[in-house]
Amino acid sequence: MRSIISILFFVMSVFPSLAQNRAYKDAQTGKWGFRNDAGKCVVKPIFDEYDASNTFTKIRNFAVVRSGNLWGCVGVDGGYVSKMVFRNKILAAKAGMEWNSKAKPGEVIYEAYDVKTRKYGFSDYAGEWLMNPIYDDVDPDYNFVKGNKLSVVKFDGYWGSVDKKGVFTTKPVLVSAEDARTAADEVVKYAALGTNVYDAYDATLKKWGFANYKGFWVVRPILDNVDRDYTFGGGRPFAVVKYKGKWGCVNRLASFIVKPTYMDAQSAKNAGFAWQSKNPTAISPSQLASVDDGKHKDENVAGRLRQTSVSPQKENTVAVLPRSQVHSTPPSLKILTPKDGSDYTTNEITFTYEAKTADGSTPEILSYVNGELQPKTKGIKRVGSQLTLTLPRMEDCRVQLIAKDKNGQNSDPAVVLLHYRGNRPKPNLHVFAVGVSDYEQTDLKLQHAAKDASDFSKVVSDMKTSMYVKKTPVLIADKNATDKNIKKGLSTLVNQVEQGDVVMLFFSGHGAKEGRETYFLSCNAESNDLFSSAVNFDAIRTAIRRLKDRKCRVLIFMDACHSGALYGQKSVAESFALSEPGVIGFYSSTESQKSNESEQWNNGIFTKALIEGLRGQAKDADGNITIDELERYIRESVRKATNGKQMPIFENKQGNFVLFEVVK
């Protein structure tokens, strides 16, 4: 015992500050710092936040801190051991622990953010750049720090993937991060080219096409538009596209199977179905084209200055003009009004700017609000050197303007942060609940799915809250839950919401796959023909995208599938999870598990835990129902009730927030 006490005394004498440093908040500035038990400041109060779970201890020589929107780690002497480059405290804590263990820099590669360029790159645990910050975004769910061989990145507005040397393994032409993740998996598995065909966009040509997992063109980028609700995803034999102002359909061999003669996409799609019924023969991946346009080939883009190519003169070729024909000086742009940090009270704000190009021509102006590119045809008015944007009224917002010249060169972004000071109307709370127990196909019948939806709808309606204006819940159950009624209900919901609303979607029932498509089974579903009788998950995803376009906060709760290995699919939860960035998802089980329901619980066990959490079991220390506490309670309750046989999965890229506040 004496020797142990001696060792402890020695450790405390050598490292006194490590055990005694305590966080404190400066009363005047509201900033956080650290001081020892004697009251001496050892780390100046300059930080906006610190992570109480990762601060100085006897064995931890650092504290995780936040400045602005970025996290890093500070040592006992006030110096940075991990620079402020991490977008969340989890990454910063991991970096700090790597430093604390004296690991070799670069063994773990972190996604990091550079305030000066407003771009993402990759760094070691100290925040030193391993790949320069040139990316618009890095997928937080598919990157090196997650243990992946590749990292999914957004570059010049589109998605691809890079290896640890910074070489593009999937060229940045894919439209969604979800597609880029799937493509990255194909790269790692050395899959056959053309197994999956992705909708893609050439930012230089400003044309659409379709690509394989390398980003090589299967259908060259010559299209004006594509119907993103009906492309080649899920093994579809044709895609609905727009070419020279008219809609038609192309197959995977890049041939028009429906000539572009239609004024709307739906008519072209109907013609495509008619073609498909007469042409059932599948096309093998080996028959597909794989055209390399030569861009980003075998080079570390993040390790050099980018060179910008310009649009070719011929429609069907991908070419780069000689460098002598490209203006070496990029355009410049400066926002004159409003000034950075200004307040605003109305949602329409006019920006005055000064833009210059090397040849004096008028540049194209790209505008971003809170990181989202604003469509030119919606909510934007431009007159001379003035641009009027529609801004959100529910939050402070960051506006970024970029000038783009005729050669495709971009200016450095001009950015202002504006603070909304007008009236903040309460958001509406919408509940859309679907539950199906009484299926027309008798072997599909369930015990509690319809009751799950009804109980969920009721518990939310009964919540005492001053945060929202509660709208009448929409409940579609049993015989009313046809595929048509469900899709019609989703469409009506999308048309009713307003900016800033909160939407809670709930589904309880069977889920299944047919081919590569995933479906929620409506009451009239036929197990041998889900295509025509059930609700394709793509329809739900489309509704969610439209809700997000209207700046709604979307939460989805899915208790499916109850039947376990139904038609060869053990669970559909993961088929929907990880699909829509910005959506908070609570899913009943993993892909290898089934979702349980029993008379013992009088609900599905997932729904039972969800309802109990909303009724008060998921309160935080202040008595509020929060996202983190709801997730924790559901996970622990389901695991305990099923002896670990069922494990819910959760998707949350929005962080923790109060869902229902305590009502005093």
Side-chain angles (χ1 to χ4, degrees), residues 519-549:
Y519 297 84
F520 178 82
L521 273 59
S522 48
C523 70
N524 59 312
E526 299 172 12
S527 59
N528 61 352
D529 186 16
L530 298 180
F531 177 82
S532 65
S533 63
V535 179
N536 194 307
F537 271 20
D538 282 346
I540 303 175
R541 290 191 184 97
T542 297
I544 289 175
R545 282 197 294 268
R546 292 174 63 191
L547 290 169
K548 287 166 54 186
D549 287 344

Side-chain angles (χ1 to χ4, degrees), residues 58 97 155 281 288 325 418 445 460 537 590 621 636 664:
K58 295 178 182 179
M97 291 303 293
F155 182 74
T281 303
L288 273 58
Q325 297 182 28
L418 304 179
K445 291 184 182 296
V460 176
F537 271 20
T590 69
E636 293 177 358
K664 299 179 181 180

Side-chain angles (χ1 to χ4, degrees), residues 299-467:
E299 58 186 353
N300 181 354
V301 179
R304 64 174 180 83
L305 294 175
R306 286 184 292 163
Q307 297 177 359
T308 306
S309 59
V310 299
S311 301
Q313 296 177 347
K314 291 186 178 181
E315 181 181 43
N316 294 328
T317 60
V318 179
V320 180
L321 290 179
R323 187 166 180 79
S324 60
Q325 297 182 28
V326 180
H327 290 289
S328 59
T329 303
S332 63
L333 186 144
K334 180 181 180 180
I335 297 177
L336 303 178
T337 61
K339 298 295 184 182
D340 186 38
S342 297
D343 296 341
Y344 70 102
T345 57
T346 61
N347 63 335
E348 279 202 351
I349 302 298
T350 298
F351 294 79
T352 303
Y353 60 87
E354 180 180 83
K356 297 179 181 179
T357 59
D359 63 356
S361 61
T362 301
E364 177 185 358
I365 305 299
L366 306 177
S367 57
Y368 295 79
V369 175
N370 291 336
E372 293 188 11
L373 178 64
Q374 302 301 292
K376 302 173 187 176
T377 58
K378 183 179 179 182
I380 296 179
K381 302 173 184 176
R382 181 179 175 183
V383 179
S385 295
Q386 290 188 329
L387 189 73
T388 301
L389 299 177
T390 301
L391 305 184
R393 294 182 299 147
M394 301 299 296
E395 57 187 348
D396 295 348
C397 77
R398 180 173 173 269
V399 177
Q400 175 178 287
L401 300 183
I402 296 174
K404 186 173 186 177
D405 67 19
K406 64 182 182 181
N407 294 313
Q409 296 185 109
N410 290 343
S411 69
D412 290 334
V415 182
V416 292
L417 181 65
L418 304 179
H419 308 289
Y420 182 68
R421 296 291 183 258
N423 294 327
R424 296 176 182 255
K426 291 182 181 180
N428 297 311
L429 176 62
H430 303 265
V431 174
F432 182 88
V434 179
V436 188
S437 297
D438 189 12
Y439 285 90
E440 293 178 8
Q441 185 173 319
T442 56
D443 63 343
L444 294 176
K445 291 184 182 296
L446 292 168
Q447 292 176 297
H448 302 305
K451 183 176 182 295
D452 286 347
S454 177
D455 290 352
F456 172 81
S457 178
K458 186 176 187 305
V459 74
V460 176
S461 296
D462 292 343
M463 295 291 293
K464 295 181 179 180
T465 177
S466 59
M467 292 175 61

Side-chain angles (χ1 to χ4, degrees), residues 69-100:
N69 294 323
L70 297 177
W71 293 82
C73 300
V74 64
V76 293
D77 59 355
Y80 290 113
V81 300
S82 297
K83 294 180 181 179
M84 311 295 284
V85 296
F86 303 109
R87 61 174 149 190
N88 61 58
K89 59 185 178 183
I90 297 174
L91 285 177
K94 183 176 178 65
M97 291 303 293
E98 198 183 2
W99 170 85
N100 202 66

Side-chain angles (χ1 to χ4, degrees), residues 82-217:
S82 297
K83 294 180 181 179
M84 311 295 284
V85 296
F86 303 109
R87 61 174 149 190
N88 61 58
K89 59 185 178 183
I90 297 174
L91 285 177
K94 183 176 178 65
M97 291 303 293
E98 198 183 2
W99 170 85
N100 202 66
S101 65
K102 299 182 180 179
K104 181 180 178 181
E107 289 185 354
V108 178
I109 300 176
Y110 299 85
E111 68 264 30
Y113 185 78
D114 181 51
V115 176
K116 292 182 180 179
T117 62
R118 294 183 174 89
K119 295 286 186 180
Y120 287 93
F122 294 94
S123 75
D124 59 17
Y125 64 70
E128 299 295 338
W129 296 111
L130 301 174
M131 299 183 207
N132 290 330
I134 64 168
Y135 304 109
D136 304 331
D137 201 358
V138 176
D139 187 344
D141 292 316
Y142 201 114
N143 51 58
F144 303 125
V145 79
K146 291 280 188 179
N148 295 300
K149 294 181 180 179
L150 308 175
S151 186
V152 170
V153 297
K154 193 175 188 181
F155 182 74
D156 281 349
Y158 295 91
W159 292 92
S161 62
V162 294
D163 62 19
K164 292 182 179 180
K165 295 181 180 179
V167 176
F168 276 110
T169 53
T170 300
K171 295 186 180 185
V173 297
L174 305 187
V175 179
S176 72
E178 178 190 9
D179 283 350
R181 294 186 205 115
T182 305
D185 284 337
E186 286 193 284
V187 172
V188 172
K189 296 174 182 177
Y190 297 98
L193 283 174
T195 301
N196 287 309
V197 177
Y198 306 94
D199 39 322
Y201 188 80
D202 188 304
T204 303
L205 302 176
K206 298 182 181 179
K207 293 289 184 180
W208 291 81
F210 296 94
N212 56 32
Y213 68 73
K214 287 188 175 182
F216 292 178
W217 297 105

